Amino acid sequence: MASYQGHLAYASILGAAYGCMGALQMDLDWGPVFLGAGLTTLGGLLPDLDSDSGVPIRELFNLAGVVIPLLLLRRLHRHGFSIEETLVLVGAAFLLIRFGVSRLFCRLTVHRGMFHSIPAMLIAGLTVFLIYQSPDLNLRLYASGAVMLGFLSHLVLDELYSVDFMGARVKLNKFAGSALKFWSSSRLATFTTYLLLGVLIWAAWREVAPTMGEQPSTPAPATPGST
Ligand SMILES: [Zn+2]
């Protein structure tokens, strides 16, 4: 199993590369570039939120408690909240994540369960996509790509560390296949993960569909005799 520091180092290097790519290839401003680099790093630490113990977990939930409300700012602004109301809501979101969600999360997840999986990576990406409201679709995709890249790097690193290189022989240890997976032995956890993934895909599609071609998303089917 790769350590917290290992994941942090690996994900921050990837984040720097992802930020550079955004600046050079997509011509992004420094704001989105650093946001992308930061989200990649955060994504690289996210899967170990399920490990229930230690300082990193508290740090991660603190960080998530700050980052998520900040990403929500544009959405709150769009709904016409005043500065004071926005501050109250951001503070409430922090408390909810830091003390509510973190406790629930620790109770519901097991280490190396469904939170270390490909669908969980997609859930993280879609969550960022939905929270981060920007009129520019490319920016939203860039931000969600960042968190997914970091998440994937974590899964790959965990998987690599489950391989013991004994000379020329490669031996798998007991954690093999527990990171880069599509389902777990718990049917309930697998089902819940895919249900959440389905809901998020639906929500993202609902936001994106109207902007594509400006066509009505669901034209009424022409049934005989309806006119
Ligand atoms: Zn891990």
Short mmCIF file of all heavy atoms in Angstrom, two decimals, residues 162-173:
data_model
loop_
_atom_site.label_atom_id
_atom_site.label_comp_id
_atom_site.label_asym_id
_atom_site.label_seq_id
_atom_site.Cartn_x
_atom_site.Cartn_y
_atom_site.Cartn_z
N SER A 162 0.70 -3.40 -4.66
CA SER A 162 0.26 -4.72 -4.24
C SER A 162 1.04 -5.80 -5.01
O SER A 162 0.79 -6.96 -4.88
CB SER A 162 -1.24 -4.89 -4.46
OG SER A 162 -1.53 -4.85 -5.83
N VAL A 163 1.98 -5.36 -5.83
CA VAL A 163 2.82 -6.31 -6.58
C VAL A 163 4.20 -6.33 -5.93
O VAL A 163 4.83 -5.30 -5.76
CB VAL A 163 2.94 -5.86 -8.05
CG1 VAL A 163 3.82 -6.83 -8.81
CG2 VAL A 163 1.58 -5.76 -8.68
N ASP A 164 4.63 -7.50 -5.52
CA ASP A 164 5.99 -7.63 -4.99
C ASP A 164 6.91 -8.09 -6.11
O ASP A 164 6.66 -9.12 -6.73
CB ASP A 164 6.03 -8.69 -3.87
CG ASP A 164 5.32 -8.18 -2.64
OD1 ASP A 164 5.26 -6.96 -2.47
OD2 ASP A 164 4.82 -9.02 -1.87
N PHE A 165 7.94 -7.32 -6.34
CA PHE A 165 8.89 -7.74 -7.37
C PHE A 165 10.00 -8.55 -6.71
O PHE A 165 10.91 -8.00 -6.10
CB PHE A 165 9.47 -6.52 -8.09
CG PHE A 165 8.44 -5.79 -8.91
CD1 PHE A 165 7.81 -4.67 -8.42
CD2 PHE A 165 8.10 -6.25 -10.17
CE1 PHE A 165 6.84 -4.01 -9.17
CE2 PHE A 165 7.13 -5.59 -10.92
CZ PHE A 165 6.50 -4.47 -10.42
N MET A 166 9.89 -9.87 -6.81
CA MET A 166 10.90 -10.74 -6.21
C MET A 166 11.86 -11.17 -7.31
O MET A 166 11.64 -12.19 -7.96
CB MET A 166 10.23 -11.98 -5.62
CG MET A 166 9.07 -11.66 -4.72
SD MET A 166 9.52 -11.73 -3.00
CE MET A 166 10.00 -13.44 -2.82
N GLY A 167 12.90 -10.40 -7.52
CA GLY A 167 13.82 -10.70 -8.62
C GLY A 167 13.06 -10.58 -9.92
O GLY A 167 12.46 -9.55 -10.19
N ALA A 168 13.04 -11.64 -10.70
CA ALA A 168 12.33 -11.60 -11.97
C ALA A 168 10.87 -12.01 -11.77
O ALA A 168 10.04 -11.77 -12.63
CB ALA A 168 13.01 -12.52 -12.97
N ARG A 169 10.59 -12.63 -10.62
CA ARG A 169 9.25 -13.11 -10.39
C ARG A 169 8.36 -12.00 -9.84
O ARG A 169 8.75 -11.26 -8.94
CB ARG A 169 9.26 -14.26 -9.40
CG ARG A 169 8.95 -15.58 -10.08
CD ARG A 169 9.07 -16.77 -9.14
NE ARG A 169 9.66 -16.52 -7.84
CZ ARG A 169 9.03 -16.80 -6.71
NH1 ARG A 169 7.81 -17.28 -6.73
NH2 ARG A 169 9.63 -16.59 -5.56
N VAL A 170 7.16 -11.88 -10.36
CA VAL A 170 6.23 -10.88 -9.85
C VAL A 170 5.17 -11.60 -9.02
O VAL A 170 4.51 -12.51 -9.50
CB VAL A 170 5.56 -10.12 -11.01
CG1 VAL A 170 4.51 -9.18 -10.48
CG2 VAL A 170 6.61 -9.35 -11.79
N LYS A 171 5.09 -11.21 -7.77
CA LYS A 171 4.14 -11.89 -6.88
C LYS A 171 3.07 -10.91 -6.43
O LYS A 171 3.37 -9.77 -6.06
CB LYS A 171 4.91 -12.42 -5.67
CG LYS A 171 4.24 -13.58 -4.99
CD LYS A 171 5.05 -14.01 -3.78
CE LYS A 171 4.68 -13.13 -2.61
NZ LYS A 171 5.41 -13.24 -1.41
N LEU A 172 1.85 -11.32 -6.46
CA LEU A 172 0.76 -10.44 -6.01
C LEU A 172 0.52 -10.65 -4.53
O LEU A 172 0.46 -11.79 -4.06
CB LEU A 172 -0.52 -10.76 -6.78
CG LEU A 172 -0.45 -10.52 -8.29
CD1 LEU A 172 -1.72 -11.01 -8.95
CD2 LEU A 172 -0.25 -9.05 -8.58
N ASN A 173 0.38 -9.56 -3.78
CA ASN A 173 0.07 -9.75 -2.36
C ASN A 173 -1.44 -9.71 -2.14
O ASN A 173 -2.22 -9.64 -3.09
CB ASN A 173 0.85 -8.75 -1.49
CG ASN A 173 0.22 -7.37 -1.50
OD1 ASN A 173 -0.88 -7.17 -2.01
ND2 ASN A 173 0.92 -6.41 -0.93
#
